[in-house]
C-alpha cells in the first residue's frame, strides 16, 4: 500500500487527520488508503517548507534511515543545530516524525509519495510572510 500525503496550497491549514493517521501507521494498524491531507496557507510558506535544503533532508532520511538528527547532519554535511531546526519545522508540518531513540530523536518519513495541488493566483504570490 502506498502511503501518500496530499498537500494543498492556498488554503487554511488543516492537519486534523494527520496525527491520527501517523499514530495508526506507527502502531501497525490498517489505515484507509485515502491520502492524508495537509493544507498550506500560502505559496511563501510552501516555498519555505519545500526549499532545497529541506528536500535534501527528506531524501536523506528516506534513503539512509538515520538513527538520529546528528547522523542526518553528517549525511548531508551540515551543522547539527541547523539540521535540527529544519527537521523540527518539517515535523511541525507533519512531513516527518521524530521517534525517541534512546537520548536521540530519530527522523522518520512515513509517506512514500507527496501529492501537490492548489490554485495560486497573483494574490497568492503577494502574500509573503507567515
Amino acid at each position: 500500500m502506498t502511503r501518500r500525503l496530499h498537500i494543498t496550497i492556498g488554503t487554511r491549514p488543516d492537519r486534523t487527520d494527520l496525527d491520527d493517521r501517523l499514530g495508526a501507521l506507527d502502531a501497525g494498524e490498517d489505515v484507509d488508503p485515502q491520502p492524508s491531507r495537509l493544507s498550506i496557507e500560502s505559496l511563501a510558506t510552501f516555498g519555505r517548507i519545500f526549499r532545497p535544503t529541506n528536500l535534501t533532508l527528506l531524501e536523506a532520511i528516506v534513503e539512509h534511515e538515520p538513527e538520529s538528527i546528528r547522523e542526518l547532519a553528517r549525511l548531508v554535511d551540515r551543522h547539527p543545530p541547523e539540521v535540527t531546526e529544519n527537521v523540527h519545522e518539517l515535523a511541525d508540518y507533519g512531513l516527518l516524525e521524530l521517534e525517541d531513540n534512546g537520548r536521540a530523536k530519530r527522523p522518520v518519513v512515513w509517506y512514500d509519495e507527496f501529492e501537490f495541488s492548489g490554485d495560486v493566483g497573483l494574490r497568492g504570490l503577494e502574500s509573503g510572510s507567515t
Side-chain angles (χ1 to χ4, degrees):
M1 173 175 75
T2 300
R3 296 171 301 204
R4 180 178 300 127
L5 177 63
H6 181 83
I7 300 168
T8 57
I9 305 164
T11 57
R12 271 189 37 230
D14 178 11
R15 301 178 189 114
T16 52
D17 72 331
L18 194 56
D19 289 333
D20 292 339
R21 290 177 62 82
L22 287 173
L25 286 170
D26 192 29
E29 297 174 13
D30 287 333
V31 177
D32 182 1
Q34 291 295 324
S36 290
R37 300 190 187 286
L38 169 64
S39 297
I40 298 176
E41 58 274 9
S42 71
L43 188 57
T45 301
F46 177 85
R48 188 184 78 239
I49 295 167
F50 290 98
R51 64 186 173 269
T53 53
N54 284 351
L55 292 175
T56 299
L57 292 175
L58 290 169
E59 289 171 358
I61 293 166
V62 169
E63 185 175 331
H64 300 286
E65 299 180 0
E67 293 297 318
S68 66
I69 295 173
R70 184 170 293 281
E71 182 181 343
L72 175 61
R74 280 192 300 270
L75 289 168
V76 297
D77 195 29
R78 290 183 49 211
H79 296 289
E82 295 168 359
V83 171
T84 298
E85 184 177 322
N86 293 136
V87 163
H88 283 282
E89 177 181 44
L90 292 169
D92 287 345
Y93 275 91
L95 298 171
L96 61 82
E97 185 172 294
L98 293 170
E99 295 180 343
D100 288 329
N101 187 19
R103 291 178 22 172
K105 295 286 186 184
R106 179 176 181 249
V108 177
V109 176
W110 287 104
Y111 299 101
D112 300 312
E113 296 177 355
F114 294 139
E115 177 180 88
F116 301 96
S117 68
D119 295 322
V120 181
L122 294 177
R123 247 183 157 186
L125 294 174
E126 65 190 36
S127 62
S129 62
T130 57

